[in-house]
Amino acid sequence: MKAIPQALLRDYTTFQLGGPCRLLMNCETPEELQKAVKSLSKDKTHFILIGSGSNLVISDNGLKAAVIRYVSTAPLIERDGNDVVVAASTILDDLVLYCVDESLEGLNYATGIPGTVGGAVVGNAGAWGKQVGDVLKSAVILDKKGNLKEVKNSYFGFQYRHSRLKETNDIISSVRFTLKAGDPVALAQKRAEILKIRAEKHPDLKTEPCAGSFFRNIEPTSKAGKRQAAGWFLEQAGAKDLRVGGAYIFKKHANIIIKGPRCTSKDVYDLHLKMIEIVKDKFSLQLNREVRFVGPFHSAETKKEEFW
Ligand SMILES: Cc1cc2nc3c(=O)[nH]c(=O)nc-3n(C[C@H](O)[C@H](O)[C@H](O)COP(=O)(O)OP(=O)(O)OC[C@H]3O[C@@H](n4cnc5c(N)ncnc54)[C@H](O)[C@@H]3O)c2cc1C
């Protein structure tokens, strides 16, 4: 386990934004994770946990709290029949690739989604109408004191891009997924197709840092309805012309904010408020964030501060 005092969080998020934190503890394995949680809890040090930071905007002022970063450099996966048991620190796409190699079907749609397995479970990450909660059987979670507990799928209360862990802040140590035997050639072909589509549609994180879709898609108003893309409403409302400081909208998708030169987290915060405002004005519709702001944010317009 590597601990770095005053680590700059911009180095640990895909948006490449965020000031220093009190202490960053890099944990790769379930054992390191439990040790770090127990030690911070014993010292009564307030901490938050992050994965790859692909769904976060961290304040320019940084955090008074410590941060546990639970990301493994190599996949930590075991096969058990058609189940896979994986450390939540494993990169989700590494798990998807493992499943292709092992001819296991059930997670292939998640090809190319950035982030860790832990982050994916908390946000019930997905694409093409499927999400990780569909194949999660059970998980080992930790409370903030480091006590372990095994929980079943029902514990998570999975909904569209949501699990109850967003409220409980339990920490996911490892996950068991139940998959099906699949055809390795078909899985590999589909994976290649998805990677191609994602490369065409999504920004290149090296040149256009971002946190993916900023707002959740719009829930249907009746059971017969379909969820509607937030990007469509944003585009119609003229979001692509908006800009605040160094933060601007991705030219191919109005629901993605890009960090341009000299962009601050505050720019992103203020731009997202403008996006909410124009959609409200044009459609009387309230957009809800998918991306999470972490740390103090202060808007000149709303005079409101937000914390995790
Ligand atoms: C270019 C791009 C494309 C994207 N495409 C998609 C997509 O197609 N579909 C989709 O669903 N998402 C997508 N995303 C969003 C992002 O990839 C997911 O939200 C991802 O699952 C976040 O994982 P992470 O490890 O980066 O989590 P982080 O951003 O680090 O954290 C997100 C939340 O999860 C919590 N968390 C992380 N790990 C754990 C853990 N082990 N235990 C408990 N809590 C934890 C954090 O506390 C935080 O609340 C995209 C993002 C980008 C940048």
PDB file of all heavy atoms in Angstrom, residues 187-201:
ATOM      1  N   LEU A 187     -18.106 -13.300 -29.124  1.00  0.00           N
ATOM      2  CA  LEU A 187     -17.818 -12.314 -28.066  1.00  0.00           C
ATOM      3  C   LEU A 187     -16.705 -11.356 -28.505  1.00  0.00           C
ATOM      4  O   LEU A 187     -16.810 -10.141 -28.322  1.00  0.00           O
ATOM      5  CB  LEU A 187     -17.403 -13.026 -26.772  1.00  0.00           C
ATOM      6  CG  LEU A 187     -18.516 -13.726 -25.987  1.00  0.00           C
ATOM      7  CD1 LEU A 187     -17.929 -14.610 -24.879  1.00  0.00           C
ATOM      8  CD2 LEU A 187     -19.467 -12.710 -25.371  1.00  0.00           C
ATOM      9  N   ALA A 188     -15.666 -11.911 -29.112  1.00  0.00           N
ATOM     10  CA  ALA A 188     -14.538 -11.079 -29.551  1.00  0.00           C
ATOM     11  C   ALA A 188     -14.968 -10.131 -30.672  1.00  0.00           C
ATOM     12  O   ALA A 188     -14.566  -8.956 -30.700  1.00  0.00           O
ATOM     13  CB  ALA A 188     -13.380 -11.960 -30.008  1.00  0.00           C
ATOM     14  N   GLN A 189     -15.827 -10.640 -31.587  1.00  0.00           N
ATOM     15  CA  GLN A 189     -16.310  -9.782 -32.692  1.00  0.00           C
ATOM     16  C   GLN A 189     -17.134  -8.618 -32.157  1.00  0.00           C
ATOM     17  O   GLN A 189     -16.962  -7.469 -32.538  1.00  0.00           O
ATOM     18  CB  GLN A 189     -17.186 -10.605 -33.623  1.00  0.00           C
ATOM     19  CG  GLN A 189     -16.433 -11.108 -34.827  1.00  0.00           C
ATOM     20  CD  GLN A 189     -17.270 -12.107 -35.619  1.00  0.00           C
ATOM     21  OE1 GLN A 189     -18.460 -12.292 -35.355  1.00  0.00           O
ATOM     22  NE2 GLN A 189     -16.637 -12.766 -36.570  1.00  0.00           N
ATOM     23  N   LYS A 190     -18.040  -8.949 -31.231  1.00  0.00           N
ATOM     24  CA  LYS A 190     -18.908  -7.916 -30.656  1.00  0.00           C
ATOM     25  C   LYS A 190     -18.062  -6.883 -29.900  1.00  0.00           C
ATOM     26  O   LYS A 190     -18.296  -5.678 -29.985  1.00  0.00           O
ATOM     27  CB  LYS A 190     -19.925  -8.583 -29.705  1.00  0.00           C
ATOM     28  CG  LYS A 190     -21.000  -7.661 -29.198  1.00  0.00           C
ATOM     29  CD  LYS A 190     -21.982  -7.321 -30.312  1.00  0.00           C
ATOM     30  CE  LYS A 190     -22.857  -6.153 -29.959  1.00  0.00           C
ATOM     31  NZ  LYS A 190     -23.548  -5.553 -31.080  1.00  0.00           N
ATOM     32  N   ARG A 191     -17.073  -7.387 -29.171  1.00  0.00           N
ATOM     33  CA  ARG A 191     -16.190  -6.478 -28.423  1.00  0.00           C
ATOM     34  C   ARG A 191     -15.507  -5.491 -29.389  1.00  0.00           C
ATOM     35  O   ARG A 191     -15.456  -4.293 -29.122  1.00  0.00           O
ATOM     36  CB  ARG A 191     -15.147  -7.289 -27.648  1.00  0.00           C
ATOM     37  CG  ARG A 191     -14.159  -6.415 -26.906  1.00  0.00           C
ATOM     38  CD  ARG A 191     -13.200  -7.215 -26.033  1.00  0.00           C
ATOM     39  NE  ARG A 191     -12.094  -6.357 -25.609  1.00  0.00           N
ATOM     40  CZ  ARG A 191     -12.173  -5.507 -24.609  1.00  0.00           C
ATOM     41  NH1 ARG A 191     -13.264  -5.413 -23.905  1.00  0.00           N
ATOM     42  NH2 ARG A 191     -11.150  -4.721 -24.304  1.00  0.00           N
ATOM     43  N   ALA A 192     -14.995  -6.006 -30.497  1.00  0.00           N
ATOM     44  CA  ALA A 192     -14.313  -5.137 -31.469  1.00  0.00           C
ATOM     45  C   ALA A 192     -15.284  -4.089 -32.023  1.00  0.00           C
ATOM     46  O   ALA A 192     -14.931  -2.913 -32.165  1.00  0.00           O
ATOM     47  CB  ALA A 192     -13.721  -5.985 -32.588  1.00  0.00           C
ATOM     48  N   GLU A 193     -16.522  -4.525 -32.311  1.00  0.00           N
ATOM     49  CA  GLU A 193     -17.541  -3.578 -32.819  1.00  0.00           C
ATOM     50  C   GLU A 193     -17.813  -2.460 -31.809  1.00  0.00           C
ATOM     51  O   GLU A 193     -17.870  -1.285 -32.153  1.00  0.00           O
ATOM     52  CB  GLU A 193     -18.884  -4.317 -32.990  1.00  0.00           C
ATOM     53  CG  GLU A 193     -19.166  -4.851 -34.361  1.00  0.00           C
ATOM     54  CD  GLU A 193     -20.413  -5.742 -34.303  1.00  0.00           C
ATOM     55  OE1 GLU A 193     -21.423  -5.364 -33.695  1.00  0.00           O
ATOM     56  OE2 GLU A 193     -20.335  -6.853 -34.864  1.00  0.00           O
ATOM     57  N   ILE A 194     -17.982  -2.868 -30.536  1.00  0.00           N
ATOM     58  CA  ILE A 194     -18.302  -1.876 -29.496  1.00  0.00           C
ATOM     59  C   ILE A 194     -17.141  -0.893 -29.335  1.00  0.00           C
ATOM     60  O   ILE A 194     -17.345   0.318 -29.229  1.00  0.00           O
ATOM     61  CB  ILE A 194     -18.636  -2.560 -28.144  1.00  0.00           C
ATOM     62  CG1 ILE A 194     -19.910  -3.395 -28.280  1.00  0.00           C
ATOM     63  CG2 ILE A 194     -18.803  -1.521 -27.031  1.00  0.00           C
ATOM     64  CD1 ILE A 194     -20.274  -4.222 -27.040  1.00  0.00           C
ATOM     65  N   LEU A 195     -15.913  -1.417 -29.356  1.00  0.00           N
ATOM     66  CA  LEU A 195     -14.747  -0.534 -29.202  1.00  0.00           C
ATOM     67  C   LEU A 195     -14.698   0.497 -30.324  1.00  0.00           C
ATOM     68  O   LEU A 195     -14.370   1.670 -30.109  1.00  0.00           O
ATOM     69  CB  LEU A 195     -13.450  -1.342 -29.161  1.00  0.00           C
ATOM     70  CG  LEU A 195     -13.177  -2.087 -27.848  1.00  0.00           C
ATOM     71  CD1 LEU A 195     -11.948  -2.981 -27.970  1.00  0.00           C
ATOM     72  CD2 LEU A 195     -13.003  -1.106 -26.685  1.00  0.00           C
ATOM     73  N   LYS A 196     -15.064   0.044 -31.527  1.00  0.00           N
ATOM     74  CA  LYS A 196     -15.041   0.947 -32.690  1.00  0.00           C
ATOM     75  C   LYS A 196     -16.094   2.053 -32.499  1.00  0.00           C
ATOM     76  O   LYS A 196     -15.796   3.243 -32.671  1.00  0.00           O
ATOM     77  CB  LYS A 196     -15.314   0.131 -33.960  1.00  0.00           C
ATOM     78  CG  LYS A 196     -15.135   0.898 -35.235  1.00  0.00           C
ATOM     79  CD  LYS A 196     -15.070  -0.078 -36.428  1.00  0.00           C
ATOM     80  CE  LYS A 196     -15.033   0.683 -37.741  1.00  0.00           C
ATOM     81  NZ  LYS A 196     -16.335   1.132 -38.186  1.00  0.00           N
ATOM     82  N   ILE A 197     -17.296   1.641 -32.128  1.00  0.00           N
ATOM     83  CA  ILE A 197     -18.375   2.632 -31.945  1.00  0.00           C
ATOM     84  C   ILE A 197     -17.995   3.625 -30.844  1.00  0.00           C
ATOM     85  O   ILE A 197     -18.164   4.836 -30.984  1.00  0.00           O
ATOM     86  CB  ILE A 197     -19.714   1.936 -31.591  1.00  0.00           C
ATOM     87  CG1 ILE A 197     -20.173   1.073 -32.761  1.00  0.00           C
ATOM     88  CG2 ILE A 197     -20.793   2.945 -31.214  1.00  0.00           C
ATOM     89  CD1 ILE A 197     -21.340   0.161 -32.460  1.00  0.00           C
ATOM     90  N   ARG A 198     -17.453   3.086 -29.736  1.00  0.00           N
ATOM     91  CA  ARG A 198     -17.111   3.980 -28.615  1.00  0.00           C
ATOM     92  C   ARG A 198     -16.004   4.962 -29.025  1.00  0.00           C
ATOM     93  O   ARG A 198     -16.040   6.124 -28.642  1.00  0.00           O
ATOM     94  CB  ARG A 198     -16.693   3.163 -27.390  1.00  0.00           C
ATOM     95  CG  ARG A 198     -17.850   2.405 -26.753  1.00  0.00           C
ATOM     96  CD  ARG A 198     -17.449   1.806 -25.410  1.00  0.00           C
ATOM     97  NE  ARG A 198     -17.381   2.807 -24.377  1.00  0.00           N
ATOM     98  CZ  ARG A 198     -18.361   3.081 -23.523  1.00  0.00           C
ATOM     99  NH1 ARG A 198     -19.486   2.426 -23.549  1.00  0.00           N
ATOM    100  NH2 ARG A 198     -18.202   4.022 -22.621  1.00  0.00           N
ATOM    101  N   ALA A 199     -15.036   4.479 -29.814  1.00  0.00           N
ATOM    102  CA  ALA A 199     -13.946   5.368 -30.237  1.00  0.00           C
ATOM    103  C   ALA A 199     -14.491   6.490 -31.126  1.00  0.00           C
ATOM    104  O   ALA A 199     -13.992   7.623 -31.086  1.00  0.00           O
ATOM    105  CB  ALA A 199     -12.879   4.576 -30.969  1.00  0.00           C
ATOM    106  N   GLU A 200     -15.539   6.177 -31.914  1.00  0.00           N
ATOM    107  CA  GLU A 200     -16.127   7.213 -32.790  1.00  0.00           C
ATOM    108  C   GLU A 200     -16.968   8.213 -32.010  1.00  0.00           C
ATOM    109  O   GLU A 200     -16.979   9.394 -32.288  1.00  0.00           O
ATOM    110  CB  GLU A 200     -17.026   6.553 -33.852  1.00  0.00           C
ATOM    111  CG  GLU A 200     -16.238   5.929 -34.987  1.00  0.00           C
ATOM    112  CD  GLU A 200     -17.056   4.886 -35.752  1.00  0.00           C
ATOM    113  OE1 GLU A 200     -18.265   4.748 -35.500  1.00  0.00           O
ATOM    114  OE2 GLU A 200     -16.447   4.194 -36.601  1.00  0.00           O
ATOM    115  N   LYS A 201     -17.700   7.700 -30.981  1.00  0.00           N
ATOM    116  CA  LYS A 201     -18.692   8.536 -30.291  1.00  0.00           C
ATOM    117  C   LYS A 201     -18.153   9.295 -29.088  1.00  0.00           C
ATOM    118  O   LYS A 201     -18.694  10.325 -28.700  1.00  0.00           O
ATOM    119  CB  LYS A 201     -19.825   7.638 -29.771  1.00  0.00           C
ATOM    120  CG  LYS A 201     -20.863   7.270 -30.795  1.00  0.00           C
ATOM    121  CD  LYS A 201     -21.952   6.564 -30.053  1.00  0.00           C
ATOM    122  CE  LYS A 201     -23.243   6.493 -30.783  1.00  0.00           C
ATOM    123  NZ  LYS A 201     -24.246   5.783 -29.985  1.00  0.00           N
TER     124      LYS A 201
END
